[in-house]
Amino acid sequence: MVDRRGTGRLRAVDLAAVAGVSVQQVRNYVDLGVLPPVERTASGYRIFTEAHARALTVARAMAHGHGWTRTREIMAAVHRGDLPTALALLDGGHAELDRERAQIRTVLGAFETVVSSPRTTAPRRAVRVGVVADLVGVRTSQLRSWEARGLLRPARAASTGYRVYDEAELRAAQVVALLRRGAYPFEIIAAVLDEMRTTGSPERVRAELARREQELHRRSLRRLAASATLHDYLRHRAA
């Protein structure tokens, strides 16, 4: 991308064409620190070089693995010479994936606990909260607390306005009680209930969690490749 005079200078339009972005976006990247600072000609035009082209290539690779928001912050930190901040942001991105992976494993473990537990025999008709509390083995106040958290969704009787639980909500109450006795946090319990309500059968829940785990592996590999690209860029800048 060297210009015809062999000066090593590039135009903003050259960078934009290679990256598939607008000229204004290239200028924005400079202002945001995604690209290194630029010098200007006597008439005020920005002077781009191969260093800017290289930074743009790295930024696009980083965005593929880390997303543009984190990439902008990392590249800006690199270009202002703040390597500790750049590394901290990078580590934070990898830590996010580790937390997601741990949550998937925890949700799957909680789900297996639910699947292997005996089911409470459900009444033939929808029942009120007191009956559910007796069947599940908790206080009615506990059921209302779980409802307030959005874990339970009892209907209301049209004639009285009382809470009534059908078979599905009775099972949900049993699941919450079971997992709380196992010291599972509410966010994990909510995830298990969401899977059960959305996906349905145990086989489909397991398949969905396995699919998410595989997608997480792919994201992890993309993030690793992006971090390796940044490492090469840092070595090149230090040379």
Side-chain angles (χ1 to χ4, degrees), residues 96-116:
E96 283 179 2
L97 296 184
D98 184 60
R99 287 192 295 271
E100 288 185 46
R101 185 173 286 105
Q103 184 178 46
I104 289 175
R105 288 196 299 266
T106 304
V107 170
L108 184 57
F111 178 73
E112 295 299 340
T113 298
V114 169
V115 170
S116 63

Side-chain angles (χ1 to χ4, degrees), residues 6-236:
T7 62
R9 293 182 179 180
L10 303 172
R11 300 171 301 170
V13 68
D14 297 322
L15 293 179
V18 170
V21 298
S22 68
V23 171
Q24 183 57 52
Q25 191 64 62
V26 171
R27 294 171 182 147
N28 291 342
Y29 288 161
V30 173
D31 294 339
L32 292 169
V34 175
L35 300 183
V38 298
E39 297 180 0
R40 291 180 179 267
T41 65
S43 54
Y45 288 105
R46 292 177 173 87
I47 301 173
F48 294 98
T49 67
E50 290 292 339
H52 296 94
R54 186 179 302 109
L56 187 54
T57 298
V58 171
R60 286 170 61 80
M62 285 286 293
H64 184 61
H66 291 272
W68 269 113
T69 298
R70 180 173 280 108
T71 294
R72 285 194 295 268
E73 295 175 349
I74 291 173
M75 296 298 287
V78 167
H79 292 141
R80 66 173 179 265
D82 186 1
L83 185 58
T85 294
L87 294 177
L89 289 166
L90 202 66
D91 291 343
H94 290 286
E96 283 179 2
L97 296 184
D98 184 60
R99 287 192 295 271
E100 288 185 46
R101 185 173 286 105
Q103 184 178 46
I104 289 175
R105 288 196 299 266
T106 304
V107 170
L108 184 57
F111 178 73
E112 295 299 340
T113 298
V114 169
V115 170
S116 63
S117 68
R119 296 176 68 100
T120 299
T121 301
R124 294 181 179 181
R125 300 166 60 181
V127 294
R128 289 171 54 178
V129 64
V131 176
V132 175
D134 289 340
L135 290 171
V136 175
V138 298
R139 297 188 181 91
T140 57
S141 59
Q142 192 68 70
L143 293 175
R144 294 190 180 96
S145 174
W146 294 342
E147 180 187 350
R149 287 179 174 272
L151 299 174
L152 301 179
R153 305 170 186 174
R156 294 277 182 169
S159 58
T160 63
Y162 291 136
R163 294 174 176 84
V164 290
Y165 287 71
D166 60 13
E167 183 178 356
E169 282 308 299
L170 173 58
R171 177 59 173 164
Q174 182 190 17
V175 167
V176 178
L178 175 68
L179 295 182
R180 285 303 290 165
R181 284 194 288 270
Y184 282 97
F186 284 114
E187 59 267 24
I188 297 300
I189 297 173
V192 171
L193 290 174
D194 286 345
E195 292 294 342
M196 292 175 61
R197 286 176 170 134
T198 302
T199 310
S201 69
E203 293 75 16
R204 291 182 62 185
V205 172
R206 291 188 184 98
E208 173 61 18
L209 291 173
R211 184 195 65 78
R212 293 184 191 178
E213 191 168 37
Q214 288 302 312
E215 173 57 26
L216 188 62
H217 292 339
R218 288 189 287 270
R219 288 169 56 200
S220 184
L221 287 171
R222 291 198 301 269
R223 197 157 290 187
L224 179 62
S227 299
T229 301
L230 179 67
H231 181 254
D232 288 342
Y233 182 65
L234 292 174
R235 287 198 306 172
H236 188 275

